[in-house]
């Protein structure tokens, strides 16, 4: 028996976006039904996404089509960059150069909303707070930080710098700094869970039984959602800063095997962009690692 994976309705919609930015309503309802979601749940979710300006809706019922707006597609793009970087780190293709990347800001109370949004973005990008208004990351995050600051209208309040000499109190050793700045045990637990949930799904994908298109889509969505849950709080620290063996590396390798199996079973129909993107990233990194 496989562990149940809780999938928010809007995350399901995002997972089924095709390369051209569309979501087929019939496919969406079939997969949602497989996941024990009611049609009413999906209708309410679609209504909210359209009201928020994240999608446009064309047609009626199961013959309808959703189209992701430019903002929605742009918001999903960095996730692919981070996933690619994670696999590159796992393959030893992105060694750390010893440089810490810092972002500081001083935003007045009158721009509180923008200030809070920037803080949330910095954490999402892998930053950890050093003190009020000062965050640190082990990866080169400057383009993403600047894009967010421009979007929030506070780029003039942003300061960016790098250093190879970071100390907090008496702590200077990089791996010890990482242990103190980021919740590594919690992040490791999420990856242990990912591996546990991927195992039975990998067995189904590599087993002799046939799987319907909706069943394959369901497994792809489940794995993608659970990978997102594991990676969202992960700052993607370089291996040199992590305890070894790191469960994130092991979990992503297992997920890559699942995607390879999914790709082999693909019937050649138009699959969600997520399906092909993830499989493509793992193949791309694997090819680079064997050169």
């Amino acid at each position: 028996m496989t562990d149940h994976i809780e999938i928010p309705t809007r995350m399901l919609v995002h997972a089924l976006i095709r390369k051209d930015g569309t979501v087929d309503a019939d496919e969406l309802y079939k997969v949602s039904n497989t996941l024990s979601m009611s049609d009413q749940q999906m209708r309410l979710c679609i209504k909210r996404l359209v009201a928020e300006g994240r999608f446009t809706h064309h047609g009626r019922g199961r013959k309808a089509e959703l189209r992701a707006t430019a903002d929605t597609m742009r918001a999903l793009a960095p996730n692919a960059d981070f996933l690619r970087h994670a696999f590159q780190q796992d393959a030893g293709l992105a060694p750390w150069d010893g440089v810490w990347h810092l972002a500081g800001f001083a935003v007045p109370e009158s721009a509180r909303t923008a200030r809070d949004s920037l803080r949330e973005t910095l954490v999402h990008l892998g930053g950890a707070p050093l003190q009020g208004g000062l965050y640190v990351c082990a990866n080169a995050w400057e383009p993403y930080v600047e894009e967010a600051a421009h979007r929030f209208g506070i780029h003039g309040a942003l300061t960016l710098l790098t250093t190879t000499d970071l100390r907090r109190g008496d702590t200077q050793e990089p791996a010890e700094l990482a242990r103190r700045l980021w919740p590594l045990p919690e992040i490791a637990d999420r990856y242990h869970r990912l591996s546990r949930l991927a195992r039975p799904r990998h067995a189904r994908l590599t087993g002799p039984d046939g799987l319907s298109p909706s069943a394959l889509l369901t497994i792809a969505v489940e794995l993608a959602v659970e990978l997102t849950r594991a990676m969202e709080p992960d700052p993607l620290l370089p291996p040199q800063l992590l305890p070894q063996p790191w469960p994130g590396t092991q979990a992503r390798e297992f997920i890559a095997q699942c995607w390879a199996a999914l790709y082999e079973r693909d019937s050649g129909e138009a699959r969600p962009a997520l399906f092909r993107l993830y499989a493509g990233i793992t193949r791309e990194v694997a090819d680079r690692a064997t050169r």
Side-chain angles (χ1 to χ4, degrees):
M1 182 178 178
T2 60
D3 292 79
H4 175 67
I5 294 177
E6 189 67 34
I7 299 177
T9 51
R10 68 173 52 213
M11 196 174 283
L12 172 60
V13 177
H14 285 164
L16 293 182
I17 296 175
R18 298 180 188 275
K19 188 175 182 179
D20 62 358
T22 64
V23 177
D24 179 74
D26 184 55
E27 190 169 67
L28 176 61
Y29 282 112
K30 283 180 180 177
V31 176
S32 66
N33 292 160
T34 303
L35 294 168
S36 300
M37 298 177 185
S38 69
D39 286 2
Q40 179 65 7
Q41 278 180 283
M42 290 312 308
R43 281 193 290 269
L44 289 174
C45 176
I46 292 170
K47 187 175 180 179
R48 287 193 296 269
L49 290 170
V50 171
E52 293 171 9
R54 299 179 184 277
F55 288 84
T56 58
H57 189 266
H58 307 269
R60 296 177 60 84
R62 289 181 177 252
K63 294 183 179 180
E65 182 180 80
L66 299 176
R67 294 177 190 166
T69 62
D71 284 346
T72 297
M73 294 300 287
R74 187 164 51 248
L76 296 176
N79 293 330
D81 293 342
F82 301 152
L83 183 63
R84 181 177 288 104
H85 183 68
F87 276 107
Q88 288 172 343
Q89 287 181 325
D90 294 341
L93 299 175
W96 192 45
D97 58 5
V99 175
W100 298 100
H101 300 257
L102 290 90
F105 57 90
V107 181
E109 185 65 22
S110 59
R112 180 179 179 179
T113 299
R115 182 185 63 197
D116 292 346
S117 295
L118 182 59
R119 283 176 179 157
E120 291 174 4
T121 299
L122 292 175
V123 172
H124 177 70
L125 291 173
L130 288 171
Q131 58 189 58
L134 182 62
Y135 288 72
V136 63
C137 181
N139 296 306
W141 63 348
E142 287 79 4
Y144 302 105
V145 174
E146 289 202 272
E147 187 278 328
H150 276 298
R151 182 158 30 95
F152 302 140
I154 54 176
H155 185 260
L158 177 68
T159 298
L160 298 171
L161 63 149
T162 60
T163 182
T164 56
D165 181 19
L166 180 65
R167 285 175 285 175
R168 194 178 196 188
D170 294 327
T171 304
Q172 185 175 16
E173 199 278 317
E176 180 61 19
L177 278 171
R179 190 184 69 81
R180 291 173 179 265
L181 289 169
W182 286 277
L184 298 184
E186 176 189 328
I187 296 167
D189 286 344
R190 288 174 179 257
Y191 281 118
H192 286 306
R193 169 182 163 82
L194 175 60
S195 292
R196 188 181 76 249
L197 293 172
R199 193 165 291 111
R201 288 162 178 83
H202 181 263
R204 289 183 66 196
L205 290 169
T206 56
D209 296 338
L211 293 170
S212 67
S214 63
L216 290 172
L217 271 175
T218 298
I219 293 174
V221 170
E222 288 177 329
L223 293 174
V225 167
E226 203 58 39
L227 177 64
T228 299
R229 284 203 181 101
M231 287 192 62
E232 273 187 344
D234 186 354
L236 300 183
L237 296 174
Q240 295 91 327
L241 303 182
L242 293 168
Q244 297 297 330
W246 177 241
T249 302
Q250 299 166 331
R252 284 188 290 265
E253 172 58 30
F254 204 10
I255 287 293
Q257 293 175 19
C258 289
W259 282 330
L262 274 164
Y263 191 80
E264 287 180 4
R265 285 182 178 254
D266 184 16
S267 63
E269 300 173 13
R271 290 298 179 213
L274 168 148
F275 181 93
R276 296 191 181 278
L277 175 68
Y278 284 9
I281 287 173
T282 55
R283 290 199 309 276
E284 167 196 322
V285 174
D287 288 344
R288 281 190 59 193
T290 55
R291 286 175 191 169

